[in-house]
Coordinates of all heavy atoms in Angstrom, one line a residue:
M22 N -67.7 -13.8 30.9 CA -66.9 -12.6 30.8 C -67.2 -11.8 29.5 O -67.5 -12.4 28.5 CB -65.3 -12.9 30.9 CG -64.8 -13.3 32.2 SD -63.0 -12.8 32.4 CE -62.3 -13.9 31.2
E23 N -67.0 -10.5 29.6 CA -67.2 -9.7 28.4 C -65.9 -9.7 27.6 O -64.9 -10.0 28.0 CB -67.5 -8.2 28.8 CG -68.7 -8.1 29.8 CD -70.0 -8.3 29.1 OE1 -70.1 -8.1 27.9 OE2 -71.0 -8.7 29.8
I24 N -66.1 -9.1 26.3 CA -64.9 -9.0 25.5 C -63.8 -8.2 26.2 O -62.6 -8.5 26.2 CB -65.3 -8.4 24.1 CG1 -66.0 -9.4 23.3 CG2 -64.0 -7.9 23.4 CD1 -66.5 -8.8 21.9
A25 N -64.2 -7.1 26.8 CA -63.2 -6.2 27.5 C -62.5 -7.0 28.6 O -61.2 -6.8 28.8 CB -63.9 -5.1 28.1
D26 N -63.1 -7.9 29.2 CA -62.5 -8.7 30.3 C -61.5 -9.6 29.7 O -60.4 -9.8 30.2 CB -63.5 -9.5 31.1 CG -64.6 -8.6 31.8 OD1 -64.1 -7.6 32.3 OD2 -65.8 -8.9 31.8
W27 N -61.9 -10.3 28.6 CA -61.0 -11.2 27.9 C -59.8 -10.5 27.4 O -58.6 -11.0 27.3 CB -61.7 -12.0 26.8 CG -62.6 -13.1 27.3 CD1 -63.9 -13.1 27.2 CD2 -62.2 -14.3 27.9 NE1 -64.4 -14.2 27.8 CE2 -63.4 -15.0 28.3 CE3 -61.0 -14.8 28.4 CZ2 -63.4 -16.2 28.9 CZ3 -61.0 -16.0 29.0 CH2 -62.2 -16.7 29.2
R28 N -60.0 -9.2 26.9 CA -58.9 -8.4 26.3 C -57.9 -8.0 27.4 O -56.7 -8.0 27.3 CB -59.4 -7.2 25.6 CG -60.0 -7.6 24.2 CD -60.5 -6.4 23.5 NE -61.0 -6.8 22.2 CZ -61.8 -6.0 21.4 NH1 -62.1 -4.8 21.9 NH2 -62.1 -6.4 20.2
A29 N -58.5 -7.7 28.6 CA -57.6 -7.4 29.8 C -56.8 -8.6 30.2 O -55.6 -8.5 30.5 CB -58.4 -7.0 31.0
K30 N -57.4 -9.8 30.1 CA -56.7 -11.1 30.4 C -55.6 -11.3 29.3 O -54.5 -11.7 29.7 CB -57.7 -12.2 30.3 CG -57.2 -13.6 30.5 CD -57.0 -13.8 32.0 CE -56.4 -15.2 32.3 NZ -55.8 -15.3 33.7
I31 N -55.9 -11.0 28.0 CA -54.9 -11.2 27.0 C -53.7 -10.2 27.2 O -52.5 -10.6 27.1 CB -55.5 -11.0 25.6 CG1 -56.3 -12.3 25.2 CG2 -54.5 -10.6 24.5 CD1 -57.0 -12.2 23.9
D32 N -54.0 -9.0 27.6 CA -52.9 -8.0 27.9 C -52.0 -8.5 29.0 O -50.8 -8.4 28.9 CB -53.5 -6.6 28.2 CG -54.1 -5.9 27.0 OD1 -53.8 -6.3 25.9 OD2 -54.9 -4.9 27.2
E33 N -52.6 -9.0 30.0 CA -51.9 -9.5 31.2 C -51.0 -10.7 30.8 O -49.8 -10.8 31.1 CB -52.9 -10.0 32.2 CG -52.4 -10.3 33.6 CD -53.6 -10.8 34.4 OE1 -54.6 -10.1 34.6 OE2 -53.5 -11.9 34.9
L34 N -51.6 -11.6 30.0 CA -50.8 -12.8 29.5 C -49.7 -12.3 28.5 O -48.5 -12.9 28.6 CB -51.7 -13.8 28.8 CG -52.7 -14.5 29.7 CD1 -53.8 -15.2 28.9 CD2 -52.0 -15.5 30.6
D35 N -50.0 -11.3 27.7 CA -48.9 -10.8 26.8 C -47.7 -10.3 27.6 O -46.6 -10.4 27.2 CB -49.5 -9.8 25.8 CG -50.4 -10.4 24.8 OD1 -50.4 -11.6 24.6 OD2 -51.1 -9.6 24.1
E36 N -48.0 -9.6 28.7 CA -46.9 -9.1 29.5 C -46.0 -10.2 30.0 O -44.8 -10.1 29.9 CB -47.5 -8.3 30.7 CG -48.0 -7.0 30.3 CD -48.8 -6.3 31.5 OE1 -48.5 -6.6 32.6 OE2 -49.7 -5.5 31.1
Q37 N -46.6 -11.3 30.4 CA -45.9 -12.5 30.9 C -45.1 -13.1 29.7 O -43.9 -13.5 29.9 CB -46.8 -13.5 31.5 CG -47.4 -13.0 32.8 CD -48.4 -14.0 33.3 OE1 -48.3 -15.2 33.2 NE2 -49.5 -13.5 33.9
I38 N -45.7 -13.2 28.6 CA -45.1 -13.8 27.4 C -43.8 -12.9 27.0 O -42.8 -13.4 26.7 CB -46.1 -13.9 26.2 CG1 -47.1 -15.0 26.5 CG2 -45.4 -14.2 24.9 CD1 -48.3 -15.0 25.6
V39 N -44.0 -11.6 27.0 CA -42.9 -10.7 26.7 C -41.7 -10.9 27.6 O -40.5 -11.1 27.2 CB -43.3 -9.2 26.7 CG1 -42.1 -8.3 26.6 CG2 -44.2 -8.9 25.5
D40 N -42.0 -11.0 28.9 CA -41.0 -11.3 29.9 C -40.3 -12.6 29.6 O -39.0 -12.7 29.7 CB -41.6 -11.4 31.3 CG -41.8 -10.0 31.9 OD1 -41.3 -9.0 31.3 OD2 -42.5 -9.9 33.0
L41 N -41.0 -13.7 29.4 CA -40.5 -15.0 29.1 C -39.6 -14.9 27.8 O -38.5 -15.5 27.7 CB -41.5 -16.0 29.0 CG -42.2 -16.3 30.4 CD1 -43.4 -17.3 30.2 CD2 -41.2 -17.0 31.3
I42 N -40.1 -14.3 26.8 CA -39.4 -14.2 25.5 C -38.0 -13.5 25.7 O -37.0 -13.9 25.2 CB -40.2 -13.7 24.4 CG1 -41.4 -14.7 24.0 CG2 -39.4 -13.4 23.2 CD1 -42.3 -14.1 22.9
S43 N -38.1 -12.4 26.5 CA -36.9 -11.6 26.8 C -35.9 -12.5 27.5 O -34.7 -12.4 27.3 CB -37.3 -10.4 27.6 OG -38.1 -9.6 26.9
K44 N -36.4 -13.3 28.5 CA -35.5 -14.2 29.2 C -34.8 -15.2 28.3 O -33.6 -15.6 28.4 CB -36.2 -14.8 30.4 CG -36.4 -13.9 31.6 CD -37.0 -14.7 32.7 CE -37.3 -13.7 33.9 NZ -38.7 -13.7 34.3
R45 N -35.7 -15.8 27.4 CA -35.2 -16.7 26.4 C -34.2 -16.0 25.5 O -33.1 -16.7 25.1 CB -36.4 -17.2 25.6 CG -36.0 -18.5 24.8 CD -37.1 -18.9 23.8 NE -36.9 -20.2 23.3 CZ -36.0 -20.6 22.5 NH1 -35.2 -19.7 22.0 NH2 -35.8 -21.8 22.1
A46 N -34.4 -14.8 25.1 CA -33.5 -14.1 24.3 C -32.1 -13.9 25.0 O -31.0 -13.9 24.4 CB -34.1 -12.7 23.9
E47 N -32.1 -13.6 26.3 CA -30.9 -13.4 27.1 C -30.1 -14.7 27.0 O -28.9 -14.7 26.9 CB -31.2 -13.0 28.5 CG -31.6 -11.6 28.7 CD -32.1 -11.3 30.1 OE1 -32.1 -12.1 31.0 OE2 -32.7 -10.2 30.2
A48 N -30.8 -15.9 27.2 CA -30.1 -17.2 27.1 C -29.5 -17.4 25.7 O -28.4 -17.9 25.6 CB -31.1 -18.3 27.5
A49 N -30.3 -17.1 24.7 CA -29.8 -17.3 23.3 C -28.7 -16.4 23.0 O -27.7 -16.7 22.4 CB -31.0 -17.0 22.4
A50 N -28.7 -15.1 23.5 CA -27.6 -14.2 23.3 C -26.3 -14.7 24.0 O -25.2 -14.6 23.4 CB -28.0 -12.8 23.8
A51 N -26.4 -15.3 25.2 CA -25.3 -15.8 25.9 C -24.7 -17.0 25.1 O -23.5 -17.1 25.0 CB -25.7 -16.3 27.3
I52 N -25.6 -17.9 24.6 CA -25.1 -18.9 23.7 C -24.4 -18.4 22.5 O -23.3 -18.9 22.0 CB -26.3 -19.9 23.3 CG1 -26.8 -20.6 24.5 CG2 -25.8 -20.8 22.2 CD1 -28.0 -21.5 24.2
G53 N -24.9 -17.3 21.9 CA -24.4 -16.6 20.8 C -22.9 -16.2 21.0 O -22.0 -16.4 20.1
V54 N -22.7 -15.6 22.2 CA -21.4 -15.2 22.5 C -20.4 -16.3 22.6 O -19.3 -16.3 22.1 CB -21.4 -14.4 23.9 CG1 -20.0 -14.1 24.4 CG2 -22.2 -13.1 23.7
L55 N -20.8 -17.4 23.2 CA -20.0 -18.6 23.4 C -19.7 -19.2 22.1 O -18.6 -19.7 21.8 CB -20.7 -19.6 24.4 CG -20.8 -19.2 25.8 CD1 -21.7 -20.2 26.6 CD2 -19.5 -19.0 26.5
K56 N -20.7 -19.3 21.2 CA -20.5 -19.8 19.8 C -19.5 -19.0 19.0 O -18.6 -19.5 18.4 CB -21.8 -19.8 19.1 CG -22.7 -21.0 19.4 CD -24.0 -21.0 18.6 CE -24.8 -22.2 18.8 NZ -26.1 -22.1 18.1
K57 N -19.6 -17.7 19.2 CA -18.6 -16.8 18.5 C -17.2 -17.0 19.0 O -16.3 -17.1 18.2 CB -19.0 -15.3 18.7 CG -18.3 -14.4 17.8 CD -18.9 -13.0 17.6 CE -18.3 -12.3 16.5 NZ -18.9 -11.0 16.2
Q58 N -17.1 -17.1 20.3 CA -15.8 -17.4 20.9 C -15.2 -18.7 20.4 O -14.0 -18.8 20.3 CB -15.9 -17.4 22.5 CG -16.0 -16.0 23.1 CD -16.4 -16.1 24.6 OE1 -16.6 -17.2 25.1 NE2 -16.6 -14.9 25.2
A59 N -16.1 -19.7 20.2 CA -15.6 -21.0 19.8 C -15.5 -21.1 18.2 O -15.1 -22.2 17.8 CB -16.6 -22.1 20.3
G60 N -15.9 -20.1 17.6 CA -15.9 -20.1 16.1 C -17.0 -21.1 15.6 O -16.8 -21.5 14.4
A61 N -18.0 -21.3 16.3 CA -19.1 -22.2 15.9 C -20.2 -21.4 15.2 O -20.4 -20.2 15.4 CB -19.7 -22.9 17.1
R62 N -20.9 -22.1 14.3 CA -22.0 -21.3 13.6 C -23.2 -21.3 14.5 O -23.5 -22.1 15.3 CB -22.3 -22.1 12.3 CG -22.8 -23.5 12.5 CD -23.0 -24.3 11.3 NE -23.6 -25.6 11.7 CZ -24.2 -26.5 10.9 NH1 -24.4 -26.2 9.7 NH2 -24.7 -27.6 11.4
V63 N -24.0 -20.2 14.2 CA -25.2 -19.9 14.9 C -26.3 -20.9 14.6 O -26.9 -21.4 15.6 CB -25.7 -18.5 14.5 CG1 -27.2 -18.3 14.9 CG2 -24.9 -17.4 15.2
Y64 N -26.5 -21.3 13.4 CA -27.6 -22.1 13.0 C -27.3 -23.6 13.3 O -26.3 -24.2 12.8 CB -27.9 -21.9 11.5 CG -29.0 -22.8 11.0 CD1 -30.2 -22.9 11.7 CD2 -28.8 -23.5 9.8 CE1 -31.3 -23.7 11.1 CE2 -29.9 -24.4 9.3 CZ -31.1 -24.4 10.0 OH -32.1 -25.2 9.5
E65 N -28.1 -24.2 14.2 CA -27.9 -25.6 14.5 C -29.2 -26.3 14.4 O -30.0 -26.4 15.3 CB -27.4 -25.7 16.0 CG -26.1 -25.1 16.2 CD -25.3 -26.0 17.2 OE1 -25.6 -27.1 17.5 OE2 -24.2 -25.5 17.6
P66 N -29.5 -26.9 13.1 CA -30.8 -27.5 12.8 C -31.1 -28.6 13.7 O -32.3 -28.8 14.1 CB -30.6 -27.9 11.4 CG -29.2 -27.8 11.0 CD -28.6 -26.8 12.0
G67 N -30.1 -29.4 14.2 CA -30.4 -30.5 15.1 C -31.0 -30.1 16.4 O -31.9 -30.6 16.9
R68 N -30.4 -29.0 17.0 CA -30.9 -28.5 18.2 C -32.3 -27.8 18.1 O -33.2 -27.9 18.9 CB -29.9 -27.4 18.8 CG -30.4 -26.6 20.0 CD -30.7 -27.5 21.1 NE -31.4 -26.7 22.2 CZ -32.2 -27.3 23.2 NH1 -32.5 -28.5 23.2 NH2 -32.7 -26.4 24.1
E69 N -32.5 -27.2 16.9 CA -33.8 -26.6 16.7 C -34.9 -27.7 16.6 O -36.0 -27.5 17.1 CB -33.7 -25.7 15.4 CG -32.9 -24.5 15.6 CD -33.0 -23.5 14.4 OE1 -33.9 -23.6 13.6 OE2 -32.1 -22.5 14.4
Q70 N -34.5 -28.8 16.0 CA -35.5 -29.9 15.9 C -35.9 -30.4 17.3 O -37.0 -30.7 17.7 CB -35.0 -31.0 15.1 CG -36.0 -32.1 14.7 CD -37.2 -31.5 14.0 OE1 -37.1 -30.8 13.0 NE2 -38.4 -31.6 14.6
Q71 N -34.8 -30.4 18.2 CA -35.1 -30.8 19.6 C -36.0 -29.8 20.3 O -36.9 -30.2 21.1 CB -33.7 -30.9 20.4 CG -32.8 -32.0 20.1 CD -31.5 -32.0 20.9 OE1 -31.2 -30.9 21.5 NE2 -30.8 -33.1 20.9
V72 N -35.8 -28.5 20.1 CA -36.7 -27.5 20.6 C -38.1 -27.7 20.1 O -39.0 -27.7 21.0 CB -36.1 -26.1 20.2 CG1 -37.2 -25.0 20.6 CG2 -34.8 -25.8 20.9
F73 N -38.3 -27.9 18.9 CA -39.7 -28.1 18.3 C -40.3 -29.4 18.9 O -41.5 -29.4 19.2 CB -39.6 -28.1 16.8 CG -39.0 -26.8 16.2 CD1 -38.2 -26.9 15.1 CD2 -39.2 -25.6 16.8 CE1 -37.7 -25.8 14.5 CE2 -38.7 -24.5 16.3 CZ -37.9 -24.5 15.1
D74 N -39.5 -30.5 18.9 CA -40.0 -31.8 19.5 C -40.5 -31.5 21.0 O -41.5 -32.0 21.4 CB -39.0 -32.9 19.5 CG -38.7 -33.3 18.1 OD1 -39.4 -33.0 17.2 OD2 -37.6 -34.0 17.9
H75 N -39.6 -30.7 21.7 CA -39.9 -30.5 23.1 C -41.2 -29.7 23.3 O -42.1 -30.1 24.1 CB -38.7 -29.8 23.8 CG -38.9 -29.5 25.2 ND1 -38.7 -28.2 25.7 CD2 -39.2 -30.2 26.2 CE1 -38.9 -28.2 27.0 NE2 -39.2 -29.4 27.4
V76 N -41.4 -28.6 22.5 CA -42.6 -27.8 22.7 C -43.8 -28.5 22.3 O -44.9 -28.3 22.8 CB -42.4 -26.4 22.1 CG1 -41.3 -25.6 22.7 CG2 -42.3 -26.5 20.6
R77 N -43.6 -29.4 21.3 CA -44.8 -30.2 20.8 C -45.2 -31.1 21.9 O -46.4 -31.4 22.2 CB -44.5 -31.0 19.5 CG -44.4 -30.1 18.4 CD -43.8 -30.8 17.1 NE -44.7 -31.7 16.6 CZ -45.3 -31.6 15.3 NH1 -44.9 -30.5 14.6 NH2 -46.2 -32.4 14.9
Q78 N -44.2 -31.7 22.6 CA -44.5 -32.6 23.8 C -45.2 -31.9 24.9 O -46.0 -32.5 25.6 CB -43.2 -33.3 24.2 CG -42.8 -34.5 23.4 CD -41.4 -34.9 23.8 OE1 -40.8 -34.5 24.8 NE2 -40.8 -35.8 22.9
C79 N -44.8 -30.6 25.1 CA -45.4 -29.8 26.2 C -46.8 -29.4 25.9 O -47.5 -29.0 26.8 CB -44.6 -28.5 26.5 SG -42.9 -28.8 27.0
N80 N -47.1 -29.3 24.6 CA -48.4 -28.8 24.2 C -49.6 -29.6 24.8 O -49.7 -30.8 24.6 CB -48.5 -28.8 22.7 CG -49.7 -28.1 22.2 OD1 -50.2 -27.2 22.8 ND2 -50.2 -28.6 21.1
K81 N -50.5 -28.8 25.4 CA -51.7 -29.4 26.0 C -53.0 -28.9 25.3 O -54.1 -29.1 25.8 CB -51.8 -29.1 27.5 CG -50.7 -29.7 28.3 CD -51.0 -29.4 29.8 CE -49.9 -29.8 30.7 NZ -49.0 -28.6 31.0
G82 N -52.8 -28.2 24.1 CA -53.9 -27.6 23.4 C -54.3 -26.3 24.0 O -53.7 -25.9 25.0
P83 N -55.2 -25.5 23.4 CA -56.1 -26.0 22.3 C -55.4 -25.9 21.0 O -56.0 -26.3 19.9 CB -57.2 -25.0 22.4 CG -56.7 -23.7 22.9 CD -55.6 -24.2 23.9
L84 N -54.2 -25.3 20.8 CA -53.5 -25.2 19.5 C -53.0 -26.6 19.1 O -52.7 -27.4 20.0 CB -52.4 -24.2 19.6 CG -52.8 -22.8 19.8 CD1 -51.5 -21.9 19.8 CD2 -53.7 -22.3 18.7
E85 N -53.0 -26.9 17.8 CA -52.4 -28.1 17.3 C -50.9 -28.1 17.6 O -50.3 -27.0 17.6 CB -52.6 -28.2 15.8 CG -54.1 -28.2 15.4 CD -54.8 -29.6 15.7 OE1 -54.1 -30.6 15.9 OE2 -56.0 -29.6 15.6
D86 N -50.2 -29.2 17.6 CA -48.8 -29.3 17.7 C -48.1 -28.5 16.6 O -47.1 -27.8 16.9 CB -48.3 -30.7 17.7 CG -48.6 -31.5 19.0 OD1 -49.2 -30.9 19.9 OD2 -48.4 -32.7 19.0
T87 N -48.6 -28.6 15.4 CA -48.0 -27.9 14.3 C -48.1 -26.4 14.4 O -47.2 -25.6 14.1 CB -48.6 -28.3 13.0 OG1 -50.0 -28.2 13.1 CG2 -48.2 -29.7 12.5
E88 N -49.2 -26.0 15.1 CA -49.4 -24.5 15.3 C -48.5 -23.9 16.4 O -47.9 -22.9 16.2 CB -50.9 -24.2 15.7 CG -51.8 -24.5 14.5 CD -53.3 -24.5 14.9 OE1 -53.6 -24.9 16.0 OE2 -54.1 -24.1 14.0
I89 N -48.3 -24.8 17.4 CA -47.3 -24.4 18.5 C -45.9 -24.3 17.9 O -45.1 -23.4 18.1 CB -47.3 -25.4 19.6 CG1 -48.6 -25.2 20.5 CG2 -46.1 -25.3 20.5 CD1 -48.6 -24.0 21.4
Q90 N -45.6 -25.3 17.0 CA -44.3 -25.4 16.4 C -44.1 -24.1 15.5 O -43.0 -23.5 15.5 CB -44.1 -26.7 15.5 CG -42.7 -26.6 14.9 CD -42.3 -28.0 14.3 OE1 -42.8 -29.0 14.7 NE2 -41.5 -27.9 13.3
H91 N -45.1 -23.7 14.8 CA -45.0 -22.5 14.0 C -44.6 -21.3 14.8 O -43.8 -20.5 14.4 CB -46.3 -22.3 13.2 CG -46.5 -23.2 12.1 ND1 -47.7 -23.5 11.6 CD2 -45.6 -24.0 11.4 CE1 -47.6 -24.4 10.6 NE2 -46.3 -24.7 10.5
V92 N -45.2 -21.2 16.0 CA -44.9 -20.0 16.8 C -43.4 -20.1 17.2 O -42.7 -19.1 17.2 CB -45.8 -20.0 18.1 CG1 -45.3 -19.0 19.1 CG2 -47.3 -19.8 17.8
F93 N -43.0 -21.3 17.6 CA -41.6 -21.4 18.0 C -40.6 -21.3 16.9 O -39.4 -20.9 17.1 CB -41.4 -22.7 18.8 CG -41.7 -22.5 20.3 CD1 -43.1 -22.5 20.7 CD2 -40.7 -22.1 21.2 CE1 -43.4 -22.2 22.0 CE2 -41.1 -21.8 22.6 CZ -42.4 -21.9 23.0
E94 N -41.0 -21.7 15.7 CA -40.1 -21.5 14.5 C -39.8 -20.0 14.3 O -38.7 -19.6 14.0 CB -40.8 -22.0 13.2 CG -40.7 -23.5 13.1 CD -41.5 -24.1 12.0 OE1 -42.2 -23.4 11.3 OE2 -41.5 -25.3 11.9
R95 N -40.9 -19.2 14.6 CA -40.7 -17.7 14.5 C -39.8 -17.2 15.6 O -38.9 -16.4 15.4 CB -42.1 -17.1 14.5 CG -42.1 -15.6 14.1 CD -41.8 -15.4 12.7 NE -41.4 -14.0 12.4 CZ -40.2 -13.5 12.2 NH1 -39.2 -14.3 12.3 NH2 -40.0 -12.3 12.0
I96 N -40.0 -17.7 16.8 CA -39.2 -17.3 17.9 C -37.8 -17.6 17.7 O -36.8 -16.8 17.9 CB -39.7 -17.9 19.3 CG1 -41.1 -17.3 19.6 CG2 -38.7 -17.8 20.4 CD1 -41.8 -18.0 20.8
V97 N -37.5 -18.9 17.3 CA -36.1 -19.3 17.1 C -35.4 -18.5 16.0 O -34.3 -18.2 16.0 CB -36.0 -20.8 16.9 CG1 -34.6 -21.2 16.4 CG2 -36.4 -21.6 18.1
D98 N -36.2 -18.2 14.9 CA -35.7 -17.3 13.8 C -35.2 -16.0 14.4 O -34.2 -15.5 14.0 CB -36.9 -17.2 12.8 CG -36.4 -16.4 11.6 OD1 -35.3 -16.7 11.0 OD2 -37.1 -15.5 11.2
V99 N -36.0 -15.4 15.3 CA -35.7 -14.1 15.9 C -34.4 -14.3 16.8 O -33.6 -13.4 16.8 CB -36.9 -13.5 16.7 CG1 -36.5 -12.3 17.5 CG2 -38.0 -13.1 15.7
M100 N -34.3 -15.4 17.5 CA -33.1 -15.6 18.3 C -31.9 -15.7 17.5 O -30.8 -15.2 17.9 CB -33.3 -17.0 19.1 CG -34.5 -17.0 20.0 SD -34.4 -15.8 21.4 CE -36.1 -15.6 21.8
R101 N -32.0 -16.4 16.3 CA -30.8 -16.4 15.4 C -30.4 -15.1 14.9 O -29.2 -14.8 14.9 CB -31.2 -17.3 14.2 CG -30.7 -18.7 14.3 CD -30.9 -19.5 13.0 NE -32.1 -20.2 13.0 CZ -33.1 -20.0 12.1 NH1 -33.0 -19.0 11.3 NH2 -34.1 -20.8 12.2
T102 N -31.4 -14.2 14.6 CA -31.0 -12.8 14.2 C -30.4 -12.1 15.3 O -29.3 -11.4 15.1 CB -32.3 -12.1 13.8 OG1 -32.9 -12.8 12.8 CG2 -32.0 -10.7 13.4
L103 N -30.8 -12.3 16.6 CA -30.2 -11.7 17.7 C -28.8 -12.1 17.9 O -27.9 -11.3 18.2 CB -31.0 -12.0 19.0 CG -30.4 -11.6 20.4 CD1 -30.5 -10.1 20.5 CD2 -31.2 -12.3 21.5
Q104 N -28.5 -13.4 17.7 CA -27.2 -14.0 17.9 C -26.2 -13.4 16.8 O -25.0 -13.4 17.1 CB -27.2 -15.5 17.8 CG -27.9 -16.1 19.0 CD -28.0 -17.6 18.9 OE1 -28.1 -18.2 17.8 NE2 -27.9 -18.3 20.0
Q105 N -26.8 -13.0 15.7 CA -25.9 -12.6 14.6 C -25.6 -11.1 14.7 O -24.8 -10.5 13.9 CB -26.6 -12.9 13.3 CG -26.3 -14.3 12.9 CD -27.4 -14.9 11.9 OE1 -28.4 -14.3 11.7 NE2 -27.1 -16.1 11.4
R106 N -26.3 -10.4 15.6 CA -26.1 -9.0 15.8 C -24.7 -8.7 16.3 O -24.3 -9.4 17.3 CB -27.0 -8.4 16.8 CG -28.3 -7.8 16.2 CD -29.1 -7.2 17.3 NE -30.5 -7.4 17.1 CZ -31.4 -7.3 18.0 NH1 -31.1 -7.1 19.3 NH2 -32.7 -7.5 17.7
P107 N -24.0 -7.7 15.9 CA -22.6 -7.4 16.3 C -22.6 -7.1 17.9 O -21.7 -7.5 18.5 CB -22.2 -6.1 15.6 CG -23.1 -6.1 14.4 CD -24.4 -6.8 14.8
T108 N -23.7 -6.5 18.4 CA -23.8 -6.2 19.8 C -23.8 -7.4 20.7 O -23.6 -7.2 21.9 CB -25.0 -5.3 20.1 OG1 -26.1 -6.0 19.5 CG2 -24.8 -3.9 19.6
S109 N -24.2 -8.6 20.2 CA -24.2 -9.8 21.1 C -22.9 -10.4 21.2 O -22.8 -11.6 21.7 CB -25.3 -10.7 20.6 OG -24.9 -11.3 19.4
S110 N -21.8 -9.8 20.8 CA -20.5 -10.5 20.8 C -19.7 -9.8 21.9 O -20.1 -8.8 22.5 CB -19.8 -10.3 19.5 OG -19.6 -9.0 19.1
Ligands
LIG4 O1 -29.1 -23.9 21.3 C1 -28.5 -23.2 20.6 O2 -27.5 -23.6 20.0 C2 -29.0 -21.8 20.3 O3 -28.2 -21.1 19.6 C3 -30.3 -21.4 20.7 C4 -31.3 -21.6 19.5 C5 -32.8 -21.4 20.2 O4 -33.2 -20.2 20.1 O5 -33.3 -22.3 20.7 C6 -31.0 -20.7 18.4 C7 -30.4 -21.0 17.3 C8 -29.9 -22.4 17.0 O6 -30.0 -22.7 15.6 C9 -30.5 -23.4 17.9 C10 -31.2 -23.0 19.0

């Protein structure tokens, strides 16, 4: 395949990734509402560790486990920000 073909493939995959991240954000926002109602804190390091362990287990390469974890550390960081937004209450 040419570079243009690979870029078209990347654009297509990015669309799917955006959809999936949006669905994940909806779930995180719903958790955020429940946490607020319960007076619980947003940041749960134990749960975040489970998320990172899980994605490392799912990883089939070519990225290293630590690289996949870095991507999810950023995603979870964004989810925490979403949960702290006044609009998610
Ligand atoms: O599972 C939760 O309690 C969430 O709020 C979701 C989530 C995540 O995005 O996976 C976000 C923030 C928490 O620190 C832990 C995990």
Side-chain angles (χ1 to χ4, degrees):
M22 284 209 297
E23 305 289 332
I24 287 179
D26 299 321
W27 285 113
R28 285 180 177 165
K30 179 79 181 163
I31 282 177
D32 287 345
E33 192 183 300
L34 290 167
D35 286 348
E36 286 171 25
Q37 294 175 36
I38 291 168
V39 168
D40 278 348
L41 289 172
I42 290 176
S43 298
K44 287 186 179 122
R45 195 188 194 287
E47 284 171 8
I52 290 175
V54 171
L55 294 173
K56 281 182 175 174
K57 190 161 192 178
Q58 286 168 358
R62 60 184 184 161
V63 162
Y64 180 48
E65 294 220 13
R68 173 56 188 157
E69 292 191 11
Q70 193 54 58
Q71 286 178 345
V72 170
F73 301 142
D74 291 346
H75 181 231
V76 296
R77 290 170 75 111
Q78 278 167 14
C79 295
N80 183 34
K81 299 187 186 94
L84 294 180
E85 300 284 344
D86 286 355
T87 47
E88 292 168 330
I89 286 287
Q90 179 168 334
H91 287 156
V92 171
F93 276 82
E94 283 171 358
R95 191 70 193 99
I96 290 172
V97 172
D98 184 46
V99 170
M100 300 295 155
R101 263 189 264 114
T102 302
L103 172 71
Q104 290 177 329
Q105 282 155 349
R106 267 188 216 157
T108 47
S109 71
S110 59

